[in-house]
Amino acid sequence: MILTFADRMSFANFTNPYQRPADVPADYRKHSNLSKLFKADGTYVRPAEDPVTIWAIALLHQEYGVPLDALELELNADFSEGTHQGGRRYQGRADLIVYDDRYIGAGGGLDVAFIMVEAMEPGKKFEGMEPEGWVEHLNRLNAYMSASPSARYAILTSGTNTKIYRRDLEYPRALQEIGNLPKYESARSAAEHSPFKVILNPSEPDGIQTGLQPLTRDKFREVLGDTRSGCHSLLRDNEGLQPQEAVDAMVKFLFAK
């Protein structure tokens, strides 16, 4: 997904416009993905937190371009605390996750989440330690992010205070605070404009095809191995490196690439 940063941090402007369920736009109230926020009589399930959640959803949709179809609310999650041997497993429920457009409607859950949002009631103290407070919600958000191999961005908001984080999918995996959330853009559209085509779903008739060819054993040996023109031979014979030194150099080149 190609992302560009918005000019301003929309999450800094909380006015709690949806404190009353009647003030929520009809297309939000009637959307099937948002139904978990409301009881049968139209009132909020959680009167303190749900107005913050719907406010965050409205910003994601209106300011950052997130489709309502890309949202999933209250996703059950398993996560652990501590080491694998001595840790404890917990059942949690992520307030809100956002998929990129490749996984809308696929039901992939945390495995294909792109953004996670943890909402809390506005009256809680910023970075406070009280029960169901800021630190407790941040710990939950960290746990949910750790349980997802794909989530890149996290938002913790009480409306009055908001923190946005980015997670490096490589190393380190810790959440790093950033100033703003990038704009949401279509991964499929980005792939169409890329010089390298990516297979998004090869089993689907309309999946994006690729012109890249698999690297066979013979081709691998020809390019990197001990053939006359192979990288290993060139480093060993032309540059005077020992065989293991040549391998180490090749690994460094590939890593840098």
Side-chain angles (χ1 to χ4, degrees), residues 164-184:
I164 300 176
Y165 304 91
R166 181 184 183 276
R167 187 184 74 171
D168 190 339
L169 293 183
E170 302 300 330
Y171 180 86
R173 296 178 67 87
L175 297 182
Q176 300 173 343
E177 186 177 344
I178 58 176
N180 198 2
L181 187 70
K183 286 281 191 180
Y184 183 99

Side-chain angles (χ1 to χ4, degrees), residues 225-244:
D226 291 324
T227 61
R228 182 181 296 274
S229 60
C231 294
H232 189 268
S233 295
L234 293 174
L235 289 169
R236 183 191 61 204
D237 300 335
N238 294 10
E239 301 298 327
L241 298 182
Q242 295 295 320
Q244 185 58 48

Side-chain angles (χ1 to χ4, degrees), residues 6-22:
D7 294 331
R8 60 190 178 86
M9 182 178 172
S10 299
F11 281 93
N13 306 313
F14 178 69
T15 57
N16 203 4
Y18 305 126
Q19 191 166 5
R20 297 189 313 144

Side-chain angles (χ1 to χ4, degrees), residues 26 28 32 58 68 74 121 133 177 184-185 211 223 234-235 245:
Y28 289 13
S32 59
L68 296 181
E74 298 184 4
E121 55 186 277
E177 186 177 344
Y184 183 99
E185 290 188 7
V223 175
L234 293 174
L235 289 169
E245 291 176 328

Side-chain angles (χ1 to χ4, degrees), residues 6 9 96 99 104 122 141 147 159 164 199 207 215 225 231 248 251:
M9 182 178 172
L96 173 66
Y99 301 111
I104 291 175
L141 184 58
I164 300 176
I199 297 178
L215 186 63
C231 294
D248 290 343
V251 170

Side-chain angles (χ1 to χ4, degrees), residues 18-22 24 37-39 41-48 50-51 54:
Y18 305 126
Q19 191 166 5
R20 297 189 313 144
V24 177
L37 292 175
F38 305 99
K39 298 178 182 178
D41 62 2
T43 59
Y44 286 122
V45 174
R46 299 178 302 176
D50 288 343
I54 199 70

Side-chain angles (χ1 to χ4, degrees), residues 213-225 227 230:
Q213 297 296 322
L215 186 63
T216 63
R217 183 188 299 271
D218 291 342
K219 191 66 176 178
F220 181 88
R221 186 170 183 270
E222 176 186 340
V223 175
L224 298 177
T227 61

